[in-house]
PDB file of all heavy atoms in Angstrom:
ATOM      1  N   ILE K   1       0.843  -1.186   0.000  1.00  0.00           N
ATOM      2  CA  ILE K   1       0.000   0.000   0.000  1.00  0.00           C
ATOM      3  C   ILE K   1       0.879   1.236   0.000  1.00  0.00           C
ATOM      4  O   ILE K   1       1.575   1.508   0.986  1.00  0.00           O
ATOM      5  CB  ILE K   1      -0.952   0.024   1.205  1.00  0.00           C
ATOM      6  CG1 ILE K   1      -1.770  -1.270   1.283  1.00  0.00           C
ATOM      7  CG2 ILE K   1      -1.865   1.242   1.124  1.00  0.00           C
ATOM      8  CD1 ILE K   1      -2.677  -1.494   0.105  1.00  0.00           C
ATOM      9  N   GLU K   2       0.818   1.986  -1.089  1.00  0.00           N
ATOM     10  CA  GLU K   2       1.581   3.220  -1.199  1.00  0.00           C
ATOM     11  C   GLU K   2       0.789   4.390  -0.638  1.00  0.00           C
ATOM     12  O   GLU K   2      -0.441   4.393  -0.656  1.00  0.00           O
ATOM     13  CB  GLU K   2       1.938   3.527  -2.656  1.00  0.00           C
ATOM     14  CG  GLU K   2       2.748   2.447  -3.355  1.00  0.00           C
ATOM     15  CD  GLU K   2       1.899   1.529  -4.198  1.00  0.00           C
ATOM     16  OE1 GLU K   2       0.698   1.368  -3.892  1.00  0.00           O
ATOM     17  OE2 GLU K   2       2.430   0.963  -5.170  1.00  0.00           O
ATOM     18  N   SER K   3       1.517   5.386  -0.174  1.00  0.00           N
ATOM     19  CA  SER K   3       0.899   6.607   0.301  1.00  0.00           C
ATOM     20  C   SER K   3       1.916   7.741   0.208  1.00  0.00           C
ATOM     21  O   SER K   3       3.097   7.515  -0.027  1.00  0.00           O
ATOM     22  CB  SER K   3       0.398   6.466   1.742  1.00  0.00           C
ATOM     23  OG  SER K   3       1.475   6.233   2.636  1.00  0.00           O
ATOM     24  N   GLY K   4       1.453   8.945   0.397  1.00  0.00           N
ATOM     25  CA  GLY K   4       2.335  10.098   0.450  1.00  0.00           C
ATOM     26  C   GLY K   4       2.421  10.900  -0.824  1.00  0.00           C
ATOM     27  O   GLY K   4       3.092  11.939  -0.848  1.00  0.00           O
ATOM     28  N   GLY K   5       1.768  10.444  -1.876  1.00  0.00           N
ATOM     29  CA  GLY K   5       1.770  11.213  -3.102  1.00  0.00           C
ATOM     30  C   GLY K   5       0.959  12.483  -2.953  1.00  0.00           C
ATOM     31  O   GLY K   5       0.207  12.664  -1.989  1.00  0.00           O
ATOM     32  N   GLY K   6       1.122  13.369  -3.914  1.00  0.00           N
ATOM     33  CA  GLY K   6       0.392  14.622  -3.873  1.00  0.00           C
ATOM     34  C   GLY K   6       0.925  15.602  -4.884  1.00  0.00           C
ATOM     35  O   GLY K   6       1.667  15.241  -5.804  1.00  0.00           O
ATOM     36  N   LEU K   7       0.544  16.846  -4.703  1.00  0.00           N
ATOM     37  CA  LEU K   7       0.933  17.931  -5.598  1.00  0.00           C
ATOM     38  C   LEU K   7       1.995  18.783  -4.929  1.00  0.00           C
ATOM     39  O   LEU K   7       1.798  19.256  -3.803  1.00  0.00           O
ATOM     40  CB  LEU K   7      -0.287  18.784  -5.946  1.00  0.00           C
ATOM     41  CG  LEU K   7      -0.042  20.044  -6.770  1.00  0.00           C
ATOM     42  CD1 LEU K   7       0.484  19.677  -8.155  1.00  0.00           C
ATOM     43  CD2 LEU K   7      -1.324  20.854  -6.872  1.00  0.00           C
ATOM     44  N   VAL K   8       3.107  18.970  -5.619  1.00  0.00           N
ATOM     45  CA  VAL K   8       4.184  19.816  -5.117  1.00  0.00           C
ATOM     46  C   VAL K   8       4.678  20.715  -6.234  1.00  0.00           C
ATOM     47  O   VAL K   8       4.506  20.416  -7.418  1.00  0.00           O
ATOM     48  CB  VAL K   8       5.361  18.997  -4.541  1.00  0.00           C
ATOM     49  CG1 VAL K   8       4.910  18.172  -3.349  1.00  0.00           C
ATOM     50  CG2 VAL K   8       5.953  18.095  -5.618  1.00  0.00           C
ATOM     51  N   GLN K   9       5.305  21.806  -5.853  1.00  0.00           N
ATOM     52  CA  GLN K   9       5.894  22.710  -6.825  1.00  0.00           C
ATOM     53  C   GLN K   9       7.282  22.228  -7.229  1.00  0.00           C
ATOM     54  O   GLN K   9       7.965  21.545  -6.463  1.00  0.00           O
ATOM     55  CB  GLN K   9       5.990  24.121  -6.256  1.00  0.00           C
ATOM     56  CG  GLN K   9       4.648  24.776  -5.987  1.00  0.00           C
ATOM     57  CD  GLN K   9       4.790  26.203  -5.489  1.00  0.00           C
ATOM     58  OE1 GLN K   9       5.889  26.744  -5.420  1.00  0.00           O
ATOM     59  NE2 GLN K   9       3.674  26.815  -5.152  1.00  0.00           N
ATOM     60  N   ALA K  10       7.678  22.573  -8.436  1.00  0.00           N
ATOM     61  CA  ALA K  10       9.024  22.240  -8.888  1.00  0.00           C
ATOM     62  C   ALA K  10      10.052  22.751  -7.892  1.00  0.00           C
ATOM     63  O   ALA K  10       9.956  23.873  -7.399  1.00  0.00           O
ATOM     64  CB  ALA K  10       9.279  22.828 -10.267  1.00  0.00           C
ATOM     65  N   GLY K  11      11.037  21.910  -7.618  1.00  0.00           N
ATOM     66  CA  GLY K  11      12.050  22.230  -6.628  1.00  0.00           C
ATOM     67  C   GLY K  11      11.712  21.775  -5.231  1.00  0.00           C
ATOM     68  O   GLY K  11      12.581  21.801  -4.350  1.00  0.00           O
ATOM     69  N   GLY K  12      10.499  21.348  -5.024  1.00  0.00           N
ATOM     70  CA  GLY K  12      10.073  20.897  -3.718  1.00  0.00           C
ATOM     71  C   GLY K  12      10.427  19.455  -3.447  1.00  0.00           C
ATOM     72  O   GLY K  12      11.066  18.781  -4.257  1.00  0.00           O
ATOM     73  N   SER K  13       9.986  18.978  -2.296  1.00  0.00           N
ATOM     74  CA  SER K  13      10.294  17.624  -1.854  1.00  0.00           C
ATOM     75  C   SER K  13       9.024  16.886  -1.457  1.00  0.00           C
ATOM     76  O   SER K  13       8.021  17.494  -1.073  1.00  0.00           O
ATOM     77  CB  SER K  13      11.250  17.652  -0.654  1.00  0.00           C
ATOM     78  OG  SER K  13      12.490  18.229  -0.989  1.00  0.00           O
ATOM     79  N   LEU K  14       9.117  15.576  -1.535  1.00  0.00           N
ATOM     80  CA  LEU K  14       8.004  14.726  -1.163  1.00  0.00           C
ATOM     81  C   LEU K  14       8.563  13.358  -0.783  1.00  0.00           C
ATOM     82  O   LEU K  14       9.542  12.904  -1.384  1.00  0.00           O
ATOM     83  CB  LEU K  14       7.024  14.593  -2.320  1.00  0.00           C
ATOM     84  CG  LEU K  14       5.608  14.075  -2.029  1.00  0.00           C
ATOM     85  CD1 LEU K  14       4.845  15.070  -1.161  1.00  0.00           C
ATOM     86  CD2 LEU K  14       4.867  13.835  -3.339  1.00  0.00           C
ATOM     87  N   ARG K  15       7.956  12.719   0.196  1.00  0.00           N
ATOM     88  CA  ARG K  15       8.324  11.358   0.551  1.00  0.00           C
ATOM     89  C   ARG K  15       7.121  10.452   0.397  1.00  0.00           C
ATOM     90  O   ARG K  15       6.075  10.689   1.008  1.00  0.00           O
ATOM     91  CB  ARG K  15       8.861  11.271   1.984  1.00  0.00           C
ATOM     92  CG  ARG K  15       9.413   9.888   2.317  1.00  0.00           C
ATOM     93  CD  ARG K  15       9.955   9.779   3.726  1.00  0.00           C
ATOM     94  NE  ARG K  15       8.886   9.742   4.719  1.00  0.00           N
ATOM     95  CZ  ARG K  15       9.062   9.377   5.990  1.00  0.00           C
ATOM     96  NH1 ARG K  15      10.266   9.032   6.421  1.00  0.00           N
ATOM     97  NH2 ARG K  15       8.041   9.393   6.826  1.00  0.00           N
ATOM     98  N   VAL K  16       7.279   9.422  -0.428  1.00  0.00           N
ATOM     99  CA  VAL K  16       6.241   8.426  -0.571  1.00  0.00           C
ATOM    100  C   VAL K  16       6.631   7.184   0.214  1.00  0.00           C
ATOM    101  O   VAL K  16       7.811   6.890   0.386  1.00  0.00           O
ATOM    102  CB  VAL K  16       5.957   8.078  -2.047  1.00  0.00           C
ATOM    103  CG1 VAL K  16       5.309   9.272  -2.747  1.00  0.00           C
ATOM    104  CG2 VAL K  16       7.228   7.679  -2.780  1.00  0.00           C
ATOM    105  N   SER K  17       5.631   6.475   0.691  1.00  0.00           N
ATOM    106  CA  SER K  17       5.846   5.311   1.529  1.00  0.00           C
ATOM    107  C   SER K  17       5.094   4.119   0.970  1.00  0.00           C
ATOM    108  O   SER K  17       4.097   4.273   0.267  1.00  0.00           O
ATOM    109  CB  SER K  17       5.364   5.571   2.963  1.00  0.00           C
ATOM    110  OG  SER K  17       5.994   6.695   3.528  1.00  0.00           O
ATOM    111  N   CYS K  18       5.566   2.943   1.308  1.00  0.00           N
ATOM    112  CA  CYS K  18       4.901   1.708   0.921  1.00  0.00           C
ATOM    113  C   CYS K  18       4.964   0.753   2.096  1.00  0.00           C
ATOM    114  O   CYS K  18       6.052   0.393   2.548  1.00  0.00           O
ATOM    115  CB  CYS K  18       5.573   1.101  -0.311  1.00  0.00           C
ATOM    116  SG  CYS K  18       4.917  -0.505  -0.804  1.00  0.00           S
ATOM    117  N   VAL K  19       3.809   0.349   2.584  1.00  0.00           N
ATOM    118  CA  VAL K  19       3.711  -0.574   3.703  1.00  0.00           C
ATOM    119  C   VAL K  19       3.325  -1.948   3.176  1.00  0.00           C
ATOM    120  O   VAL K  19       2.367  -2.080   2.413  1.00  0.00           O
ATOM    121  CB  VAL K  19       2.688  -0.087   4.737  1.00  0.00           C
ATOM    122  CG1 VAL K  19       2.578  -1.079   5.887  1.00  0.00           C
ATOM    123  CG2 VAL K  19       3.077   1.285   5.268  1.00  0.00           C
ATOM    124  N   ALA K  20       4.051  -2.960   3.597  1.00  0.00           N
ATOM    125  CA  ALA K  20       3.794  -4.333   3.185  1.00  0.00           C
ATOM    126  C   ALA K  20       3.049  -5.087   4.272  1.00  0.00           C
ATOM    127  O   ALA K  20       3.324  -4.917   5.463  1.00  0.00           O
ATOM    128  CB  ALA K  20       5.098  -5.048   2.863  1.00  0.00           C
ATOM    129  N   SER K  21       2.134  -5.941   3.858  1.00  0.00           N
ATOM    130  CA  SER K  21       1.324  -6.685   4.818  1.00  0.00           C
ATOM    131  C   SER K  21       2.050  -7.867   5.427  1.00  0.00           C
ATOM    132  O   SER K  21       1.654  -8.354   6.473  1.00  0.00           O
ATOM    133  CB  SER K  21       0.045  -7.177   4.143  1.00  0.00           C
ATOM    134  OG  SER K  21       0.339  -8.097   3.104  1.00  0.00           O
ATOM    135  N   THR K  22       3.103  -8.319   4.792  1.00  0.00           N
ATOM    136  CA  THR K  22       3.796  -9.519   5.236  1.00  0.00           C
ATOM    137  C   THR K  22       4.553  -9.301   6.535  1.00  0.00           C
ATOM    138  O   THR K  22       5.074  -8.218   6.798  1.00  0.00           O
ATOM    139  CB  THR K  22       4.769 -10.018   4.157  1.00  0.00           C
ATOM    140  OG1 THR K  22       5.445 -11.192   4.629  1.00  0.00           O
ATOM    141  CG2 THR K  22       5.827  -8.959   3.840  1.00  0.00           C
ATOM    142  N   THR K  23       4.619 -10.363   7.337  1.00  0.00           N
ATOM    143  CA  THR K  23       5.438 -10.331   8.541  1.00  0.00           C
ATOM    144  C   THR K  23       6.883 -10.716   8.245  1.00  0.00           C
ATOM    145  O   THR K  23       7.727 -10.642   9.139  1.00  0.00           O
ATOM    146  CB  THR K  23       4.880 -11.278   9.616  1.00  0.00           C
ATOM    147  OG1 THR K  23       4.830 -12.616   9.102  1.00  0.00           O
ATOM    148  CG2 THR K  23       3.489 -10.850  10.029  1.00  0.00           C
ATOM    149  N   MET K  24       7.149 -11.121   6.997  1.00  0.00           N
ATOM    150  CA  MET K  24       8.485 -11.498   6.571  1.00  0.00           C
ATOM    151  C   MET K  24       9.047 -10.457   5.611  1.00  0.00           C
ATOM    152  O   MET K  24       9.618 -10.786   4.576  1.00  0.00           O
ATOM    153  CB  MET K  24       8.459 -12.876   5.908  1.00  0.00           C
ATOM    154  CG  MET K  24       8.035 -13.994   6.840  1.00  0.00           C
ATOM    155  SD  MET K  24       9.201 -14.218   8.212  1.00  0.00           S
ATOM    156  CE  MET K  24      10.660 -14.749   7.333  1.00  0.00           C
ATOM    157  N   PHE K  25       8.892  -9.210   5.975  1.00  0.00           N
ATOM    158  CA  PHE K  25       9.334  -8.127   5.115  1.00  0.00           C
ATOM    159  C   PHE K  25      10.816  -8.220   4.794  1.00  0.00           C
ATOM    160  O   PHE K  25      11.250  -7.845   3.701  1.00  0.00           O
ATOM    161  CB  PHE K  25       9.007  -6.790   5.786  1.00  0.00           C
ATOM    162  CG  PHE K  25       9.298  -5.584   4.947  1.00  0.00           C
ATOM    163  CD1 PHE K  25       8.584  -5.339   3.788  1.00  0.00           C
ATOM    164  CD2 PHE K  25      10.279  -4.689   5.329  1.00  0.00           C
ATOM    165  CE1 PHE K  25       8.836  -4.216   3.012  1.00  0.00           C
ATOM    166  CE2 PHE K  25      10.538  -3.559   4.561  1.00  0.00           C
ATOM    167  CZ  PHE K  25       9.817  -3.326   3.402  1.00  0.00           C
ATOM    168  N   GLU K  26      11.593  -8.726   5.738  1.00  0.00           N
ATOM    169  CA  GLU K  26      13.036  -8.833   5.546  1.00  0.00           C
ATOM    170  C   GLU K  26      13.418  -9.806   4.438  1.00  0.00           C
ATOM    171  O   GLU K  26      14.559  -9.795   3.985  1.00  0.00           O
ATOM    172  CB  GLU K  26      13.716  -9.259   6.852  1.00  0.00           C
ATOM    173  CG  GLU K  26      13.577  -8.267   7.997  1.00  0.00           C
ATOM    174  CD  GLU K  26      12.327  -8.501   8.827  1.00  0.00           C
ATOM    175  OE1 GLU K  26      11.444  -9.272   8.398  1.00  0.00           O
ATOM    176  OE2 GLU K  26      12.229  -7.914   9.923  1.00  0.00           O
ATOM    177  N   SER K  27      12.486 -10.648   3.996  1.00  0.00           N
ATOM    178  CA  SER K  27      12.769 -11.613   2.942  1.00  0.00           C
ATOM    179  C   SER K  27      12.724 -11.002   1.548  1.00  0.00           C
ATOM    180  O   SER K  27      13.092 -11.666   0.582  1.00  0.00           O
ATOM    181  CB  SER K  27      11.776 -12.779   2.999  1.00  0.00           C
ATOM    182  OG  SER K  27      11.881 -13.476   4.226  1.00  0.00           O
ATOM    183  N   TYR K  28      12.272  -9.772   1.443  1.00  0.00           N
ATOM    184  CA  TYR K  28      12.028  -9.153   0.152  1.00  0.00           C
ATOM    185  C   TYR K  28      12.956  -7.987  -0.123  1.00  0.00           C
ATOM    186  O   TYR K  28      13.180  -7.132   0.741  1.00  0.00           O
ATOM    187  CB  TYR K  28      10.580  -8.660   0.063  1.00  0.00           C
ATOM    188  CG  TYR K  28       9.564  -9.761   0.112  1.00  0.00           C
ATOM    189  CD1 TYR K  28       9.023 -10.177   1.321  1.00  0.00           C
ATOM    190  CD2 TYR K  28       9.146 -10.383  -1.057  1.00  0.00           C
ATOM    191  CE1 TYR K  28       8.090 -11.198   1.368  1.00  0.00           C
ATOM    192  CE2 TYR K  28       8.213 -11.400  -1.020  1.00  0.00           C
ATOM    193  CZ  TYR K  28       7.691 -11.803   0.200  1.00  0.00           C
ATOM    194  OH  TYR K  28       6.757 -12.813   0.233  1.00  0.00           O
ATOM    195  N   ALA K  29      13.469  -7.969  -1.341  1.00  0.00           N
ATOM    196  CA  ALA K  29      14.020  -6.739  -1.869  1.00  0.00           C
ATOM    197  C   ALA K  29      12.870  -5.869  -2.353  1.00  0.00           C
ATOM    198  O   ALA K  29      11.832  -6.381  -2.780  1.00  0.00           O
ATOM    199  CB  ALA K  29      14.980  -7.029  -3.016  1.00  0.00           C
ATOM    200  N   MET K  30      13.039  -4.578  -2.275  1.00  0.00           N
ATOM    201  CA  MET K  30      11.968  -3.656  -2.615  1.00  0.00           C
ATOM    202  C   MET K  30      12.423  -2.682  -3.685  1.00  0.00           C
ATOM    203  O   MET K  30      13.614  -2.410  -3.842  1.00  0.00           O
ATOM    204  CB  MET K  30      11.513  -2.879  -1.372  1.00  0.00           C
ATOM    205  CG  MET K  30      11.008  -3.752  -0.234  1.00  0.00           C
ATOM    206  SD  MET K  30       9.507  -4.670  -0.665  1.00  0.00           S
ATOM    207  CE  MET K  30       8.343  -3.316  -0.926  1.00  0.00           C
ATOM    208  N   ALA K  31      11.457  -2.140  -4.395  1.00  0.00           N
ATOM    209  CA  ALA K  31      11.775  -1.206  -5.467  1.00  0.00           C
ATOM    210  C   ALA K  31      10.650  -0.214  -5.660  1.00  0.00           C
ATOM    211  O   ALA K  31       9.507  -0.443  -5.243  1.00  0.00           O
ATOM    212  CB  ALA K  31      12.044  -1.950  -6.776  1.00  0.00           C
TER     213      ALA K  31
END
């Protein structure tokens, strides 16, 4: 589940996040 998107002005900053449902998150590479 991604979140954190939105509208920003050029030159600005934004952080998007992705939460995984698995309890074995350490088993996965992410991209």
